[in-house]
Amino acid sequence: MLPRIFEDAINLAMLRRPLPHDLLAGALAETQAKRPLSFTWRGEPGDALRSALREVLHCPVACGPLVEDIQTLAEAMAFLFDTDEVGLRLRRLDAPMCPRFHCDNLPVRLVTTYLGPGSEWLPEAAVDRAGLGAPHPDKPDIVLADAAIQRLQAGDVALLKGSGWIGNEGRGLVHRSPAIGADQPRLLLTIDPA
């Protein structure tokens, strides 16, 4: 499923997957910790990534399956895009990171939400690209039909093609962070090929 991102007409390739209970338990432990989690890493997937995750996670014993899942996704990203290094961010979010619909100016990004609501996106037919960018009273609404808004589910792994993808300039996937309730933190992983 994910290799479909290489097709010209595809801006989102998705793998739907249920998360096993032990992985969910680790994700829940991280979202319930008193200190917020914000981990950024760049390098080759492998033992160094595993070690860095175990050092930063609040509950490393409970998070073994979470660490292994992140490692697997980082390796998959490196393999798919034939790169030695990836850039990775793992964050507990208590508020939307990017609440406005937008398009990333990068080639591609892997996104998965371990806990909480998943990212929202629009099919091309529901987008008025003239509304993208900084808000301004003269700009049209980005969303042509609210009913067309799609949402990834927790556990889904998605590749989002951006405007930085060669041949996709000005046509990247339009997406945003979901609204988050006060008692509903989100654990989000993003991976970019480096």
Side-chain angles (χ1 to χ4, degrees):
M1 297 297 265
L2 295 178
R4 291 201 63 203
I5 200 67
F6 293 102
E7 297 175 25
D8 289 341
I10 300 294
N11 266 354
L12 180 137
M14 180 178 23
L15 171 66
R16 292 211 181 266
R17 62 179 188 151
L19 294 175
H21 293 293
D22 55 353
L23 196 157
L24 281 171
L28 184 60
E30 289 304 313
T31 60
Q32 292 178 340
K34 291 182 182 178
R35 290 179 293 126
L37 174 66
S38 183
F39 173 68
T40 303
W41 187 86
R42 183 184 170 118
E44 187 174 337
D47 290 337
L49 173 57
R50 279 190 188 94
S51 295
L53 283 165
R54 288 186 185 118
E55 286 178 23
V56 75
L57 292 174
H58 305 305
C59 307
V61 174
C63 290
L66 177 62
V67 169
E68 289 309 309
D69 192 68
I70 293 168
Q71 172 66 27
T72 298
L73 293 176
E75 287 175 352
M77 195 67 168
F79 176 79
L80 262 178
F81 293 97
D82 193 24
T83 182
D84 292 331
E85 294 187 347
V86 295
L88 184 146
R89 290 183 302 174
L90 178 66
R91 295 182 182 173
R92 182 186 85 190
L93 300 170
D94 298 309
M97 191 168 58
C98 303
R100 182 172 161 76
F101 276 110
H102 66 283
C103 178
D104 293 330
N105 191 25
L106 48 75
V108 67
R109 172 167 285 158
L110 181 146
V111 175
T112 192
T113 301
Y114 287 109
L115 202 66
S119 298
E120 296 177 342
W121 60 278
L122 291 168
E124 189 60 33
V127 176
D128 184 345
R129 289 188 178 269
L132 293 172
H136 189 274
D138 295 336
K139 282 192 173 183
D141 288 336
I142 298 167
V143 182
L144 296 176
D146 286 342
I149 297 172
Q150 304 291 308
R151 177 181 281 173
L152 300 171
Q153 301 302 311
D156 291 350
V157 177
L159 293 175
L160 283 58
K161 192 182 288 182
S163 291
W165 184 283
I166 295 172
N168 205 49
E169 296 83 357
R171 292 186 5 219
L173 184 77
V174 176
H175 62 284
R176 71 177 177 190
S177 298
I180 300 175
D183 59 344
Q184 188 182 34
R186 183 176 182 222
L187 187 61
L188 175 69
L189 173 71
T190 62
I191 305 176
D192 301 338

